[in-house]
Amino acid sequence: SPSQSPSAPPTTTPSTNPSYLPTFTSFFTPSISPSSQSSLLPSWAPSIIETMVNGGPQTAIFDNNIGAPRCFDVGVECNPGTLMEGRASLGPELSSPNTIDGCRDGTVGKYLRDESIERVVVRAGDVESTEEMNLTEGMRATITATVHAWSSGQDDRADFFYASNAANPTWEFLGTLIPPSGGLQELKMAYTLPPGSLQAVRVGFRYKGSLNACSPGNYNDRDDLVFSVASGTSAPTSAPTPSNHDAIYDSGLGIPICAQFGNSCDSLSLLNSRGESIGISEENAPNTLDSCKDGASGTYHSDESIDRIVVKSGEIDGTGSDAALTSHRRATIIASVFAFGTGTNDYADFYYTNNLENPSWTYIDTVSPAGGGVQELKVSYDLPQGKRQAVRVNFRYRGSISPCSGGNYDDHDDLAFTVSPGI
């Protein structure tokens, strides 16, 4: 943790961090978040819900057999009340660690100064939804995590996971959010409920570190919430239209990602510019899975930069773009770049990988800009097998084809997205 704490005596631990408890709670919804997108409903999504009568809000109680707070009945919401407040002995947290698999919390720090999860709530509907319907397979749900962030909150990360079987959980990653400031904050993430009558969500709140369902750390807190889910009926006769998704930055991966299925993934402004030294800083630079660094020479929108990457289903001409991104089907990468001069000395190398944790980049093609200034460069390719994939664009001034060319004016950016396995 930061060593610049004014508290005395100074140490290397956040237990000496300055106390930071605002008098208000920030109700935070990220401006670029998958929770703002309507997800592609999977094939098991119900066409008719078994009941339109809601069970009302449910209050969780601690289940000794599971090891976490649980709502036994189906309802519109599952709320643990005060059961999660604190972290381990800080608070203290009741029935700590409140995790299904016994994942332990860090024990260093001071309550409501350092990191803690205060509450995790699951309710039916998207982030902005006001509908009153039971939590139901195939329908949308929102996780709201109330956390206490240390200092400015910028060194803290909240990782969201779900499990379709709370009795034998396999944690599926949803996304990572950064608190907008220190103190008490509400962070929200929406997703589509999978099949399963007894499900769970986990929020892992960590100080720096890496993405993991049980990331080690002296200041890290993990809490699970178990809840009952109503079953859906048979799948609809016609598949719903898949949706477009906007990426959010994943600090564990170090790049933007679209964590849910859709027919496109858009980095928006997350990749705009190159590095941190050309006048306008690229947010979270270098935005590469393997920390390939960008060139530091030149000026923004005079010299080379990648400003945006979109991956969409189908061919360059739009054929097949109304389907979800699916393994063994076609996809198109669109790179918005700024080319130097007439663009004749610039080249964009396109790559893909189906392994985000240990990427091996497969070359697709190289495209030259048609002119200088802002240009859109496109290639299409066959999506490989793999649920979480990524593409890289290597935009270089002269040089040789490479996934990490390393020139003074070169920009390298990655975009990760979720792919349907197909049939």
Side-chain angles (χ1 to χ4, degrees):
S1 291
S3 58
Q4 69 272 21
S5 166
S7 304
T11 71
T12 58
T13 67
S15 60
T16 62
N17 293 346
S19 178
Y20 192 97
L21 179 59
T23 57
F24 62 90
T25 299
S26 173
F27 294 86
F28 170 61
T29 303
S31 59
I32 302 175
S33 168
S35 61
S36 65
Q37 306 296 319
S38 57
S39 174
L40 166 63
L41 294 179
S43 59
W44 35 262
S47 56
I48 302 174
I49 306 306
E50 63 177 5
T51 175
M52 296 301 291
V53 179
N54 73 68
Q58 301 294 314
T59 300
I61 61 173
F62 184 76
D63 187 328
N64 285 296
N65 295 320
I66 288 181
R70 174 181 175 181
C71 290
F72 285 81
D73 296 323
V74 174
V76 300
E77 175 185 282
C78 181
N79 191 325
T82 61
L83 294 180
M84 297 177 182
E85 290 181 359
R87 168 168 52 85
S89 58
L90 311 182
E93 179 184 1
L94 297 176
S95 305
S96 174
N98 284 308
T99 54
I100 297 171
D101 51 14
C103 177
R104 295 287 176 180
D105 299 327
T107 59
V108 178
K110 183 176 181 180
Y111 180 52
L112 290 186
R113 183 180 67 189
D114 298 297
E115 292 82 358
S116 65
I117 298 169
E118 298 296 287
R119 184 176 298 185
V120 177
V121 176
V122 177
R123 65 168 178 81
D126 267 305
V127 171
E128 303 299 334
S129 173
T130 58
E131 62 184 327
E132 293 288 328
M133 184 179 292
N134 285 339
L135 291 159
T136 303
E137 294 174 345
M139 303 302 288
R140 298 287 281 171
T142 295
I143 308 166
T144 301
T146 302
V147 302
H148 186 275
W150 176 76
S151 187
S152 66
Q154 295 309 292
D155 288 323
D156 293 337
R157 304 289 186 269
D159 304 318
F160 290 74
F161 301 85
Y162 72 90
S164 60
N165 182 358
N168 185 26
T170 297
W171 295 111
E172 298 286 343
F173 174 65
L174 284 171
T176 298
L177 297 178
I178 302 174
S181 61
L184 293 171
Q185 305 290 334
E186 280 195 348
L187 308 179
K188 300 182 181 183
M189 181 77 68
Y191 71 113
T192 302
L193 288 165
S197 61
L198 188 64
Q199 302 188 24
V201 296
R202 166 169 292 181
V203 178
F205 194 50
R206 56 187 166 90
Y207 172 76
K208 296 184 176 179
S210 301
L211 172 67
N212 192 293
C214 187
S215 56
N218 291 333
Y219 302 90
N220 296 355
D221 194 2
R222 268 83 39 167
D223 285 319
D224 300 345
L225 181 65
V226 178
F227 53 98
S228 298
V229 177
S231 64
T233 61
S234 59
T237 55
S238 59
T241 301
S243 57
N244 302 310
H245 287 295
D246 298 337
I248 60 170
Y249 179 73
D250 186 305
S251 60
L253 294 172
I255 65 171
I257 185 173
C258 294
Q260 295 187 330
F261 297 113
N263 62 344
S264 71
C265 178
D266 192 337
S267 71
L268 297 176
S269 63
L270 293 178
L271 304 177
N272 185 47
S273 191
R274 166 169 50 89
E276 300 174 344
S277 305
I278 63 170
I280 293 180
S281 294
E282 175 186 354
E283 188 175 354
N284 302 306
N287 285 301
T288 54
L289 286 170
D290 49 14
S291 299
C292 175
K293 299 293 185 182
D294 299 328
S297 298
T299 304
Y300 176 67
H301 275 196
S302 175
D303 297 290
E304 292 80 358
S305 66
I306 299 168
D307 294 341
R308 184 177 185 179
I309 297 175
V310 177
V311 178
K312 66 182 185 70
S313 59
E315 301 286 355
I316 291 175
D317 64 5
T319 304
S321 62
D322 57 347
L325 289 161
T326 304
S327 294
H328 307 302
R329 295 186 181 176
R330 299 289 283 174
T332 295
I333 308 168
I334 304 171
S336 296
V337 302
F338 188 93
F340 167 74
T342 61
T344 54
N345 289 313
D346 291 338
Y347 304 89
D349 306 320
F350 290 79
Y351 296 84
Y352 71 85
T353 183
N354 60 354
N355 186 341
L356 302 189
E357 286 67 36
N358 187 26
S360 176
W361 295 106
T362 300
Y363 175 69
I364 302 170
D365 200 358
T366 297
V367 179
S368 298
V374 177
Q375 302 286 330
E376 276 197 350
L377 311 179
K378 303 179 182 181
V379 299
S380 60
Y381 71 111
D382 292 320
L383 287 165
Q385 191 68 34
K387 181 178 179 181
R388 298 206 305 166
Q389 303 186 24
V391 296
R392 167 168 292 180
V393 180
N394 182 74
F395 193 50
R396 56 187 166 87
Y397 174 75
R398 297 180 176 174
S400 302
I401 295 173
S402 170
C404 187
S405 51
N408 290 335
Y409 298 90
D410 296 356
D411 196 0
H412 329 83
D413 285 321
D414 302 344
L415 177 63
F417 49 96
T418 305
V419 176
S420 172
I423 298 174

